[in-house]
Amino acid sequence: MRCCLIGGSGFIGAQVAKLLEESGREVVVFGREAKPRRKLPEKVKYVSGDYNNRLQLQEVISGVEQVIDFAYATVPKTSFENPVFDILSNLPSSVGLFQEVVAAHIHKLVVVSSGGTVYGIANSIPITEDHPTNPISPYGITKLAIEKYAKMYAAVDKLPVIVVRPGNAYGEEQAAFTGQGFIATAIQSILMRKKIDVFGLRGTIRDYSHVSDIASGIIGALDFGQPDEIYNIGSGIGHDNIEILNIIKPFVEQAGYNINVNLLPHREFDVPVNILDCSKLKSVAGWEPRVSFENGLKWIWDAALKNFIK
């Protein structure tokens, strides 16, 4: 089995590439950078190119049975700063990929969407896949538009697409200060003895999952999911920002550091609560998250402390 990961050298994609290679698949990663952003397994082939170059795209997916699309050029914060760029840098390349996947007769395509943004303000918790989608960020709107194009091609051209909506991934190699990833940014702020920005009295409540669990969930959807279906991937448990800081406080103080919070007003574009119901993926793939939140936080703290350069 040959699998191609579009934009697959990022935080989540590199984890998926590792698990796919361990499963015996032949894996090729297609990325914009000259070199992969993160270290990939030795047997994983990396191809540098432009997602919008249709000839390059055709070449890289030639002979491939499975495709996973991670490619996305923006984050929620930057999408507000330039909504038009968010659209133009993401939507055309995704639509082009769908057309090429249909032409190449790919067996299965997984589109990695966003469980944290496409639903908007929740009517009920936890959020199931059939919850109304009313995103309140340009990022979420573009992600949802990509999903809608995928469904259109599924209906018209039999695109064998599965959509996954992951919650908030975190882990030892997540970059800080990128506009997303509260945990990585908070830990780096502590190590740099900087204040941690929290918007609102306790911040937002999010469904956090260790990146290894998100990766295994994506593969579960790839292996066992049904075309034209959507699957949430998360823990089903919510944590607010202050709660996270309280969990890490004992080992932060043990290492001689302090937690200093900068409380700021609530931002209107922040969804207050996002917790995902993942029973659908569990029922079809037998998938379960394996890393407890407390263990995952300890792992990321230990790794950050070990690698921190004062």
Side-chain angles (χ1 to χ4, degrees):
M1 185 70 69
R2 190 162 185 249
C3 186
C4 177
L5 277 55
I6 308 294
S9 70
F11 179 51
I12 299 175
Q15 286 282 329
V16 172
K18 177 177 178 290
L19 294 180
L20 287 172
E21 191 271 334
E22 290 174 352
S23 74
R25 288 173 172 89
E26 182 181 346
V27 182
V28 57
V29 172
F30 186 41
R32 289 191 178 100
E33 297 84 2
K35 295 181 179 180
R37 283 183 283 167
R38 285 172 174 80
K39 186 177 180 180
L40 298 171
E42 187 176 343
K43 292 182 180 179
V44 171
K45 180 182 179 183
Y46 181 76
V47 177
S48 174
D50 180 2
Y51 309 144
N52 290 303
N53 186 317
R54 299 292 281 269
L55 291 177
Q56 286 185 334
L57 191 58
Q58 290 168 12
E59 184 176 350
V60 81
I61 67 173
S62 177
V64 164
E65 289 90 7
Q66 301 172 331
V67 173
I68 305 177
D69 182 21
F70 292 96
Y72 212 79
T74 55
V75 296
K77 184 183 179 206
T78 61
S79 76
F80 278 101
E81 295 166 357
N82 195 335
V84 174
F85 177 79
D86 188 79
I87 298 167
L88 297 179
S89 60
N90 294 301
L91 189 56
S93 57
S94 291
V95 174
L97 173 65
F98 300 157
Q99 293 173 335
E100 296 302 335
V101 165
V102 169
H105 305 290
I106 302 295
H107 297 173
K108 195 173 283 188
L109 165 68
V110 173
V111 171
V112 181
S113 187
S114 169
T117 61
V118 298
Y119 294 112
I121 297 175
N123 297 333
S124 59
I125 294 293
I127 302 169
T128 57
E129 289 86 352
D130 59 359
H131 185 283
T133 47
N134 295 299
I136 58 172
S137 70
Y139 180 95
I141 292 170
T142 305
K143 283 281 190 181
L144 186 59
I146 291 170
E147 289 189 21
K148 295 295 186 182
Y149 270 102
K151 287 189 73 68
M152 182 197 77
Y153 281 105
V156 175
D157 291 324
K158 308 302 181 186
L159 179 73
V161 63
I162 294 166
V163 171
V164 294
R165 293 173 175 167
N168 289 55
Y170 73 96
E172 295 86 320
E173 295 186 6
Q174 187 172 30
F177 307 112
T178 63
Q180 62 179 359
F182 173 78
I183 293 171
T185 296
I187 287 176
Q188 285 300 314
S189 296
I190 292 167
L191 293 171
M192 297 169 68
R193 303 192 186 277
K194 295 173 59 176
K195 285 190 174 183
I196 301 164
D197 289 343
V198 172
F199 297 91
L201 291 177
R202 297 188 62 89
T204 54
I205 298 173
R206 294 289 181 264
D207 188 328
Y208 292 94
S209 294
H210 192 268
V211 64
S212 62
D213 285 329
I214 297 288
S216 66
I218 291 172
I219 294 175
L222 174 69
D223 288 343
F224 301 104
Q226 295 301 308
D228 204 24
E229 291 289 344
I230 298 169
Y231 299 96
N232 287 336
I233 306 176
S235 68
I237 302 170
H239 300 279
D240 66 43
N241 298 152
I242 298 300
E243 182 182 359
I244 292 169
L245 298 178
N246 286 336
I247 293 172
I248 67 174
K249 185 177 180 179
F251 39 86
V252 165
E253 292 183 343
Q254 186 179 16
Y257 289 87
N258 295 307
I259 296 175
N260 296 302
V261 175
N262 183 30
L263 281 179
L264 297 169
H266 167 73
R267 299 179 299 189
E268 291 302 321
F269 59 79
D270 279 335
V271 173
V273 182
N274 182 270
I275 304 172
L276 302 176
D277 183 325
C278 305
S279 55
K280 184 176 178 181
L281 180 60
K282 292 176 183 178
S283 67
V284 301
W287 170 85
E288 292 273 1
R290 296 176 178 271
V291 179
S292 73
F293 192 54
E294 290 74 14
N295 285 345
L297 288 179
K298 185 65 165 62
W299 294 350
I300 189 174
W301 168 259
D302 288 345
L305 183 62
K306 179 181 177 182
N307 296 320
F308 180 66
I309 300 174
K310 295 183 180 181

